[in-house]
Amino acid sequence: MLTMRSSSVATEVLSTVEEFRGWRRRLGATTDAGPKALLGFVPTMGALHEGHLSLVEQAASQCAAVVVSIFVNPLQFGPNEDFQKYPRTMESDLKLCQEAGVKAIFAPSVQDFYGAGTDSTTIVSPPKALVDRLCGSFRPGHFDGVATVVTKLFGVVEPSRAYFGEKDYQQLTVIRHMVHDLNLPLEIVGCPTIREKDGLARSSRNVYLTAEQRAQAPSLHKTLTDVRDRSLSGAMSLHDALAAAKQEISSLPGVVVQYLEACDTDTLEPLTQARKPMVILVAAKFGDVRLIDNLIVQ
Ligand code: AMP
């Protein structure tokens, strides 16, 4: 166990389930974060940026203590995806958590967390209606991997509230449904997407973009606002607004749109007519880099 100290806060880094459980018991016994105080939890895969930190900030404003997990979960990556090369920046992650007043980081190894291995673990499988669409249709098994790791993390951390970004809207929806369906004893809090000045949603994967791709990438956000404005103003039908926007991004060199859809904010069923509320979601590959974004229209 490693402890990072500044004058007022100490962030503990726990790297096994057993160590974390020990810390969790001690936290429960202290007076400033006793059994009744709220424990906020922010699950991440590390390479922390402003987006992650906004979740930590929201958790800190509502809870007595905040735990961040840093775990690149092999179960949610497909065989040809970027599990091996996913950015791992533990040292700067620790510093950012320390500065943000995080009480503890849970950062287990794959070996410790999955024991006998990912092939022989129990899988939590969300309903097909939620996962066989949007990202799920391009990343088979991804949401089983997410639901499984999040359930396991909840079992170790035992949070009162867990904070997820609206940036990964389908993930947030799947987790909300899972917590409801399985009667898990915690509250899920969705937090707004943090963007660069030019509109690009902050993502750990943005570091993979070449200068040219980085210059093209804000087109994703613009596409979403165009679809919203054109369809809600009546200038175009939803169908035509989606088709026009899809064509506009697809015309950028090296960019391939995987999906661009407007959906029900709870069931993710595709809509045929623009309305409020709705969520417009997009995924596109800029070369090898897959970016996602969405716009919630209230
Ligand atoms: P990740 O490390 O990519 O698994 O993300 C961990 C959490 O941070 C997830 O709940 C994400 O939705 C959230 N997150 C990632 N990027 C952003 C962002 N730009 N704004 C808000 N939340 C984000």
Side-chain angles (χ1 to χ4, degrees):
M1 179 169 56
L2 176 69
T3 303
M4 296 196 55
R5 277 184 194 285
S6 72
S7 51
S8 56
V9 199
T11 302
E12 300 217 33
V13 183
L14 298 314
S15 50
T16 67
V17 170
E18 203 185 327
E19 267 185 14
F20 188 87
R21 289 215 159 110
W23 178 86
R24 183 72 180 85
R25 274 194 299 275
R26 291 195 298 281
L27 179 79
T30 58
T31 46
D32 65 334
K36 292 218 173 78
L38 296 181
L39 177 62
F41 177 39
V42 180
T44 80
M45 297 203 297
L48 301 183
H49 51 66
E50 295 286 328
H52 299 112
L53 295 178
S54 72
L55 271 50
V56 171
E57 256 168 49
Q58 188 157 341
S61 72
Q62 298 176 341
C63 302
V66 180
V67 168
V68 169
S69 65
I70 296 178
F71 182 63
V72 186
N73 172 35
L75 207 54
Q76 71 190 68
F77 287 78
N80 299 316
E81 294 185 353
D82 56 346
F83 173 68
Q84 294 298 345
K85 73 164 199 172
Y86 194 84
R88 288 161 171 88
T89 58
M90 196 51 144
E91 215 170 297
S92 80
D93 292 352
L94 297 191
K95 194 160 169 284
L96 290 170
C97 286
Q98 169 78 8
E99 285 163 7
V102 168
K103 279 262 198 267
I105 296 173
F106 177 48
S109 64
V110 172
Q111 166 75 44
D112 180 73
F113 204 52
Y114 282 109
T118 47
D119 288 344
S120 52
T121 192
T122 299
I123 296 295
V124 180
S125 227
K128 289 196 184 317
L130 281 180
V131 302
D132 282 359
R133 58 174 73 237
L134 302 168
C135 286
S137 57
F138 293 89
R139 306 186 70 187
H142 170 69
F143 289 110
D144 283 10
V146 169
T148 302
V149 78
V150 168
T151 306
K152 280 168 69 66
L153 288 166
F154 288 169
V156 177
V157 176
E158 298 181 61
S160 344
R161 290 185 177 166
Y163 295 77
F164 291 86
E166 289 171 349
K167 150 89 171 36
D168 299 279
Y169 192 86
Q170 190 174 13
Q171 168 174 282
L172 172 62
T173 305
V174 163
I175 289 164
R176 280 193 196 287
H177 280 256
M178 178 185 85
V179 164
H180 174 264
D181 293 347
L182 301 183
N183 305 109
L184 301 182
L186 78 160
E187 187 188 333
I188 300 300
V189 183
C191 305
T193 300
I194 303 299
R195 300 178 179 282
E196 305 282 1
K197 284 199 180 70
D198 59 13
L200 175 64
R202 300 288 303 245
S203 164
S204 305
R205 289 189 169 98
N206 291 350
V207 297
Y208 300 149
L209 296 168
T210 63
E212 190 193 357
Q213 290 163 346
R214 175 64 189 80
Q216 294 168 336
S219 61
L220 277 188
H221 180 54
K222 180 167 183 313
T223 294
L224 296 168
T225 54
D226 284 349
V227 171
R228 176 196 62 194
D229 297 345
R230 291 167 179 169
S231 65
L232 283 176
S233 68
M236 282 186 183
S237 67
L238 178 60
H239 176 273
D240 289 352
L242 289 168
K246 192 168 179 179
Q247 216 205 317
E248 280 158 24
I249 336 180
S250 303
S251 67
L252 296 170
V255 179
V256 176
V257 179
Q258 290 191 333
Y259 63 77
L260 172 61
E261 287 184 38
C263 297
D264 180 272
T265 51
D266 176 46
T267 64
L268 300 181
E269 289 284 335
L271 301 178
T272 51
Q273 285 198 318
R275 65 163 199 221
K276 293 181 184 177
M278 66 175 171
V279 57
I280 310 165
L281 306 105
V282 66
K285 288 192 82 170
F286 290 68
D288 288 339
V289 189
R290 185 173 181 278
L291 299 181
I292 60 172
D293 201 352
N294 67 78
L295 186 66
I296 304 166
V297 184
Q298 292 291 357

